[in-house]
Amino acid sequence: MTEVVRAAAVVRAAPRPRRRRSGWLIYLGLLPTFAVLGVLQYYPAISGVLHSFFDWRPGFSSPFVGLENYRTMFADDLWWRSFRNLGVIFAASVTLMWVFPLLAAELVISLRSERLQFVFRTLLIAPLAFPGVVTTLVWSFIYDPNNGVLNRALQAIGLDSLALNWVGDPRTALGALLMIGFPWIASLPFLVFLTTLQNIPREVFEAAALDGASRLRRVFVIDLPLLASQIRLLFFLATISVLQYGFAAYLVTGGGPDNATQVPVLRMIGVAFQGSDWGYATTLSTALFVITLALSGVVMAIRRREARDVRGH
């Protein structure tokens, strides 16, 4: 028995130097990655935070102003108005822009033929391969007040009074931006919903049908509860994505008309490149970074608590 114990000890001890060497090799392999992240990600972020306390003018004297830029930010009505617009965008992102992808995913998994499921899935997600700028510019042509497809269609059916300057009217500009990409099926939510629903055993659906559950009742009683974890993840991702929203607004409206589509990212760009107030722009950037970091921390804390509760059960 003693010899067996010694042999086992030798076997356990033998691989340790290899693991140690391989561990150091992994760390050395990660060094270039961290170097690139440090130069391209961490350094600009830290530099932005530091410059927010200065009247920063690249290439010229930049006097220290302390918290003056932050006082200006709290008195900036346009900055806070941009967050109100962002609230509308966020509400639409986690409601309407999830309903259609969920409906499409439910319809796809209802097909009995796996080949048809594959075909329709491919057709629905194919637009993801199109560049976002192309999609956005196509929609800007659709909204053109003179020759746009939307106004031409309304005039063709006798609804001339409804033909508007959709992105040039403060009353409709934000809503027109939100409609870009309609019906929003070629998106991450569709892929997440479809993958999760496809992983549910078909026996569950068959049992629900035998119990007399209608398709709509099954969605609320079975599908949505099983999608709860994925919905929380999508909510977190939508929060981060919306805080960085500005691409479509920049291309189509530039934040106008009358700041009706102004968002925080566009406000930062305007302050920096139009107002040449780089110090204040870094202050806005820092504030947005802190908000994003705080929300990320809250979501991560909630997910860790949920994971602990699951392990506890």
Side-chain angles (χ1 to χ4, degrees), residues 255-269:
D258 194 25
N259 295 309
T261 59
Q262 188 69 251
V263 290
V265 169
L266 290 187
R267 178 58 178 155
M268 285 188 294
I269 293 174

Side-chain angles (χ1 to χ4, degrees), residues 2-292:
T2 303
E3 294 178 356
V4 173
V5 172
R6 289 177 181 172
V10 171
V11 171
R12 287 196 299 269
R16 289 180 182 175
R18 295 178 182 176
R19 283 203 298 268
R20 190 178 295 116
R21 285 197 296 269
S22 64
W24 280 110
L25 289 175
I26 292 173
Y27 296 142
L28 289 174
L30 288 172
L31 281 179
T33 301
F34 281 112
V36 173
L37 285 175
V39 173
L40 300 181
Q41 297 290 335
Y42 294 116
Y43 173 73
I46 295 171
S47 175
V49 173
L50 294 177
H51 280 112
S52 68
F53 299 101
F54 292 82
D55 182 13
W56 183 36
R57 299 183 182 280
F60 299 93
S61 175
S62 302
F64 178 78
V65 296
L67 297 176
E68 186 60 32
N69 286 330
Y70 289 92
R71 296 191 188 97
T72 302
M73 180 189 70
F74 282 108
D76 189 342
D77 291 336
L78 187 54
W79 171 250
W80 298 113
R81 179 179 177 180
S82 71
F83 276 97
R84 289 196 294 270
N85 292 336
L86 209 62
V88 176
I89 295 170
F90 178 76
S93 298
V94 299
T95 52
L96 291 176
M97 295 183 187
W98 286 1
V99 170
F100 288 95
L102 177 59
L103 177 61
E106 290 283 355
L107 292 174
V108 169
I109 66 165
S110 298
L111 297 172
R112 294 187 177 276
S113 171
E114 293 186 0
R115 180 177 296 179
L116 285 178
Q117 285 189 20
F118 173 79
V119 171
F120 281 99
R121 180 175 70 244
T122 303
L123 291 174
L124 289 172
I125 66 174
L128 278 174
F130 303 156
V133 64
V134 173
T135 303
T136 303
L137 290 177
V138 167
W139 275 85
S140 70
F141 295 144
I142 292 174
Y143 288 138
D144 185 273
N146 299 316
N147 300 308
V149 174
L150 182 55
N151 280 349
R152 285 293 183 91
L154 291 173
Q155 292 166 358
I157 59 177
L159 297 176
D160 302 59
S161 60
L162 297 181
L164 302 172
N165 186 358
W166 297 97
V167 294
D169 189 333
R171 297 170 299 176
T172 59
L174 186 58
L177 278 184
L178 292 175
M179 291 299 295
I180 290 178
F182 180 83
W184 314 294
I185 292 175
S187 62
L188 178 62
F190 172 72
L191 292 176
V192 171
F193 293 148
L194 182 61
T195 302
T196 304
L197 292 173
Q198 285 180 328
N199 288 330
I200 299 175
R202 298 201 66 87
E203 291 79 6
V204 175
F205 298 148
E206 293 171 359
L210 290 174
D211 288 341
S214 64
R215 181 67 57 83
L216 183 61
R217 179 172 176 79
R218 192 202 76 190
V219 169
F220 286 100
V221 175
I222 297 177
D223 297 358
L224 287 180
L226 292 175
L227 287 168
S229 177
Q230 285 73 19
I231 289 175
R232 284 192 292 269
L233 174 62
L234 288 173
F235 188 88
F236 165 65
L237 295 176
T239 302
I240 303 302
S241 176
V242 168
L243 284 172
Q244 299 173 355
Y245 178 85
F247 174 74
Y250 178 77
L251 285 179
V252 179
T253 65
D258 194 25
N259 295 309
T261 59
Q262 188 69 251
V263 290
V265 169
L266 290 187
R267 178 58 178 155
M268 285 188 294
I269 293 174
V271 167
F273 291 96
Q274 297 174 10
S276 298
D277 193 346
W278 295 93
Y280 183 43
T282 59
T283 301
L284 301 182
S285 175
T286 300
L288 197 59
F289 167 72
V290 170
I291 293 172
T292 304

